[in-house]
Amino acid sequence: MSTEHQYLSKEQIKVISLSSFGGMLEYFDFVIYGFYAHIIGEVFFNSSSLLVNQLQGFSIFALGYIARPIGGFIFSHIGDTHSRKKSFLFTIFLMACSTFFIGFLPTYSQIGILAPILLVALRFVQGFAVGGELPASITYVFEHVPEQKRGFACGLLYFGVIGGIVLASITSTLTFHFFPRETILDWGWRIPFIFGGILGVIGLILRKNLVESPIFVNIFLAKKTLKYPVLELFKNYKMNLLSGVFITAFSAIVTSLAFYIPSYLHAYYGYNESQVLFMNTLSVIIQCFSIVVMGKLSDYTTRKTMATIATILFFFLTPFLFYLLGANNGTILWSTSIFLGIISGCIVGCIASLLAELFPTNIRFSGISGSLNLATAFFAGPAPLIFDFSIKFSQNTLIPGFIVSLFALIAFLFIRNMQPQLEKI
């Protein structure tokens, strides 16, 4: 094997590092709202009911997911027709600005109904930006590194994304630990938004010196870009897109388990909240490292092989793992949670490079964006609600495990029939 394929260049390492760092910052900014939604509901709405305020706060949180496909569509068009880098920079700029301004918004008591209106607008901008960020990062990293390193590189990217969620969790935990609730309601909730906005600006400055994707430059100079790449996607790559959506849906639901399980254990089995939150944080940290390891393994095998292994494991094991979560045994609970964190990496670690391989260069950004944002909007976002509704309807606390198994089976069928589109440029 040549030296070129054994080692990443300094420029490639820079691309991976700054993309991962930027992904971490952007997902920190996007999810931090969720940890403070109940507080924001009280601050920005005029209701005497805490439940109503909380529902209003979480409704605006959900608005970010609705905005994602819109942002993804626009940024992918720019990325596939003009520049990957421009999309890459503009998404982090929008996210940094909107997050920073949320931290300085006047409250309902100060400006009345204008306060929630401004909050809705800024939350929409956050969702709009994140809809383009991850597809841009995946496309950019994938096209910068040699084929033999793409699983590892994209695994590092997802390490940053999941790391941003962990950072948001830790930040909120520290805030609620060190400040009384009155202080958080008064001004403490603003700290993570201002902090996230500043970090986003730092990420933007660092990204400005990155170069355009060399593969995209080749097709741009050869005039092989398309005027309307999304039309080509829906006309000739419908099955690839459908495969991307359902494989991503499975991956995203697996990821959402890490954030659903604490409330599941507390609500249905009465576990102490602090105990399960600590356990969950450890599980997600383990998942971060598992993602990188499994991404690297996909370079030695194939993305298809690793994704197939993941679907088989989750199809057969998830109902049993949910059964173990309900066991009144701390050792079994911790072991099960850690095991979930490890096997999650099998699919999450290779999903980025797998999606990128589903689409040719001139529609790659659009294909990845459509897969990620449609899967998130229609499946991953509603997953916790579906889990809870199914439990209440069936009176069976194991039902989420069977739902995950169903998605694993669907993903397995699409994975076995997927056709990579790695044309030589």
Side-chain angles (χ1 to χ4, degrees), residues 27-61:
Y27 269 77
F28 171 88
D29 288 353
F30 184 67
V31 304
I32 194 66
Y33 182 103
F35 290 100
Y36 293 87
H38 59 297
I39 295 292
I40 289 173
E42 291 186 49
V43 171
F44 282 89
F45 295 94
N46 186 31
S47 173
S48 58
S49 169
L50 293 178
L51 177 60
V52 170
N53 285 329
Q54 180 166 311
L55 288 173
Q56 289 171 323
F58 277 109
S59 295
I60 294 181
F61 176 69

Side-chain angles (χ1 to χ4, degrees), residues 149-198:
K149 299 291 182 182
R150 285 170 173 169
F152 175 64
C154 291
L156 285 172
L157 174 61
Y158 260 75
F159 177 94
V161 169
I162 303 298
I165 299 171
V166 174
L167 181 61
S169 176
I170 293 172
T171 302
S172 62
T173 300
L174 292 175
T175 304
F176 284 101
H177 179 76
F178 287 107
F179 293 107
R181 197 171 193 277
E182 294 74 18
T183 302
I184 295 174
L185 279 168
D186 187 25
W187 56 268
W189 65 270
R190 299 180 184 274
I191 295 174
F193 290 95
I194 296 171
F195 173 65
I198 293 171

Side-chain angles (χ1 to χ4, degrees), residues 109-126:
S109 63
Q110 294 170 318
I111 60 170
I113 192 64
L114 189 58
I117 292 174
L118 291 173
L119 178 64
V120 166
L122 289 173
R123 182 59 185 168
F124 185 89
V125 173
Q126 280 192 318

Side-chain angles (χ1 to χ4, degrees), residues 48-115:
S48 58
S49 169
L50 293 178
L51 177 60
V52 170
N53 285 329
Q54 180 166 311
L55 288 173
Q56 289 171 323
F58 277 109
S59 295
I60 294 181
F61 176 69
L63 178 67
Y65 284 93
I66 296 172
R68 284 182 65 160
I70 302 172
F73 171 77
I74 292 174
F75 285 116
S76 64
H77 179 79
I78 296 170
D80 275 335
T81 57
H82 294 89
S83 168
R84 313 291 206 213
K85 183 182 173 181
K86 286 180 181 177
S87 287
F88 200 48
L89 292 175
F90 199 47
T91 55
I92 198 170
F93 170 76
L94 278 181
M95 180 60 83
C97 290
S98 55
T99 304
F100 188 75
F101 288 142
I102 287 176
F104 285 98
L105 274 182
T107 63
Y108 189 93
S109 63
Q110 294 170 318
I111 60 170
I113 192 64
L114 189 58

